[in-house]
Amino acid sequence: MQPTRVVDHRSSRAWADNAVRLIEADARRSADTHLLRIELPEWSRWVDDDGTPTGVDLYLKDESTHPTGSLKHRLARSLFLYAICNGWVTQDTTVIEASSGSTAVSEAYFAKLIGVPFIAVMTSSTSPSKTALIEREGGRCHFVDKPGEVYAEALRLEAELGGHFIDQFTMAERATDWRGNNNIAESIFAQLADEDHPIPTWIVVGAGTGGTSATLGRYLRYRRHPTWLAVVDPENSVFLPAYETADGTITSDIGSRIEGIGRPRVEPSFVSQVIDRMIGVPDEASIATARCISNRLGRRVGGSTGTNLWGALGIVAEMVADRHAGSVVSLLCDSGDRYGNTYFDDTWLAAQGFDLAGATVVLDEFFESGIWTVD
């Protein structure tokens, strides 16, 4: 009889237990993000036939207050927990991502928190300000020449280093517990509990990985909430045409100019079946709305927040016109301070050929009368 063979990996559990503890402790310290009520003019209020005052309320979930300053902090936390609990990340694992944006910043933060190396693969044209944010959190930036090379290079580094490609665009919808566990959907509904309209009529979000819209859409169905989910999409992104045609193979050679949302391919985490409406938003409208809302809030918001609000304001106007009382919720994704040299710089806008006049007229008329003059 052959001797019994035992291969024991129990020693790795102690590190994993501590890594999960550190991440959960960070979540408790961070508490939750604020739900801001955006003041709308008097035209948003009316009296029902029975004499009850009512109207439409607009809210912004302020994700910029996370420790790394953006909505992607939630995603990075979920990705790390998922990878650790699956045994893919251990104490000696180098974590690799194909990103130069907010996700990489947040992932670098969590890698430093649990004591593992982090590499962000990005194009050599990435601005120094972006790489500085990643390096400030302890990450290392690895450059390639073309945007299409980042995925293959991340996989090559994974094999070469024995690391783990954490792959936000594939894992985003899998890593988040969409049934609850204080995900963004559960948080929104908890914070609305004592408002005039605690069950929102619409939730409006953008899509980068698609993970946020997948989480929200699944949660709405799981809890059987009568809430519609709208996803806004910037120019040059293929999510909207893919949704319209049911063709997930559509690609584009041009990238989105609104950072954080829009993709040149349909990412695996984009679950179109849970979306009730998609809205295409011109880039000039995204930037004009970001500037408009920044002025109203007294602080800057990013371009993707502008995209969200352009879609949300149109829905508010639709509800007011129909005398459909209720609430609309969208996301403040990150601070506009990151975009002082781009979206808030008139010289940069002119160099890019952006003219915000048309979109600004639409916004001014909306806040004056509640009318949305967009076809």
Side-chain angles (χ1 to χ4, degrees), residues 66-84:
H66 284 296
T68 53
S70 81
L71 169 67
K72 299 300 185 181
H73 193 85
R74 289 184 189 270
L75 173 59
R77 179 193 295 135
S78 294
L79 289 170
F80 268 82
L81 286 172
Y82 192 65
I84 292 165

Side-chain angles (χ1 to χ4, degrees), residues 204-222:
V204 184
V205 299
T209 62
T212 299
S213 59
T215 298
L216 286 162
R218 288 164 168 170
Y219 184 87
L220 295 176
R221 284 157 174 75
Y222 179 61

Side-chain angles (χ1 to χ4, degrees), residues 4 14 26 28 33 42 56 61 67 84 91 111 146 156 174 179 184-185 200 238 266 272 294 333 339 365:
T4 301
D26 177 81
R28 281 189 290 274
T33 60
E42 283 301 312
V56 179
K61 180 74 165 158
I84 292 165
Q91 66 188 101
K146 300 177 182 178
R156 188 192 70 77
R174 306 177 192 181
R179 295 175 186 85
I184 193 168
V238 301
V266 180
S272 62
S294 295
C333 302
Y339 310 102
E365 185 166 2

Side-chain angles (χ1 to χ4, degrees), residues 253-303:
D253 294 329
I254 307 173
S256 168
R257 294 182 292 182
I258 304 301
E259 292 192 32
I261 58 173
R263 297 294 299 162
R265 69 176 192 180
V266 180
E267 301 295 348
S269 286
F270 181 69
V271 183
S272 62
Q273 294 86 349
V274 302
I275 298 168
D276 298 300
R277 177 188 293 183
M278 285 202 71
I279 303 166
V281 180
D283 290 345
E284 290 168 336
S286 295
I287 299 168
T289 310
R291 287 182 159 211
C292 172
I293 296 300
S294 295
N295 289 335
R296 289 181 170 271
L297 289 177
R299 60 189 178 94
R300 287 179 173 179
V301 303

Side-chain angles (χ1 to χ4, degrees), residues 98-322:
S99 170
S100 62
S102 295
T103 303
V105 176
S106 298
E107 288 173 340
Y109 171 91
F110 283 107
K112 181 171 67 174
L113 181 69
I114 64 173
V116 298
F118 176 76
I119 300 174
V121 181
M122 63 191 70
T123 59
S124 53
S125 61
T126 301
S127 68
S129 60
K130 284 187 176 181
T131 60
L133 288 172
I134 295 167
E135 290 169 348
R136 186 187 67 190
E137 297 296 348
R140 178 164 70 87
C141 299
H142 180 90
F143 299 99
V144 296
D145 293 329
K146 300 177 182 178
E149 297 173 348
V150 294
Y151 306 104
E153 185 63 8
L155 288 168
R156 188 192 70 77
L157 287 171
E158 179 184 54
E160 177 184 303
L161 301 174
H164 175 64
F165 176 25
I166 205 162
D167 194 3
Q168 60 168 322
F169 293 107
T170 298
M171 296 300 172
E173 58 89 9
R174 306 177 192 181
T176 302
D177 184 356
W178 49 269
R179 295 175 186 85
N181 194 25
N182 196 34
N183 65 34
I184 193 168
E186 187 175 59
S187 175
I188 287 170
F189 279 85
Q191 290 175 318
L192 283 172
D194 294 322
E195 300 296 309
D196 290 341
H197 306 288
I199 304 298
T201 306
W202 284 93
I203 296 177
V204 184
V205 299
T209 62
T212 299
S213 59
T215 298
L216 286 162
R218 288 164 168 170
Y219 184 87
L220 295 176
R221 284 157 174 75
Y222 179 61
R223 294 296 183 189
R224 293 177 288 132
H225 288 308
T227 301
W228 304 112
L229 175 64
V231 172
V232 291
D233 206 33
E235 291 181 43
N236 303 325
S237 176
V238 301
F239 287 135
L240 175 56
Y243 181 80
E244 184 176 28
T245 63
D247 181 1
T249 67
I250 295 175
T251 60
S252 171
D253 294 329
I254 307 173
S256 168
R257 294 182 292 182
I258 304 301
E259 292 192 32
I261 58 173
R263 297 294 299 162
R265 69 176 192 180
V266 180
E267 301 295 348
S269 286
F270 181 69
V271 183
S272 62
Q273 294 86 349
V274 302
I275 298 168
D276 298 300
R277 177 188 293 183
M278 285 202 71
I279 303 166
V281 180
D283 290 345
E284 290 168 336
S286 295
I287 299 168
T289 310
R291 287 182 159 211
C292 172
I293 296 300
S294 295
N295 289 335
R296 289 181 170 271
L297 289 177
R299 60 189 178 94
R300 287 179 173 179
V301 303
S304 59
T305 303
T307 313
N308 288 341
L309 263 296
W310 181 268
L313 296 179
I315 287 174
V316 167
E318 176 185 305
M319 291 173 64
V320 170
D322 294 340

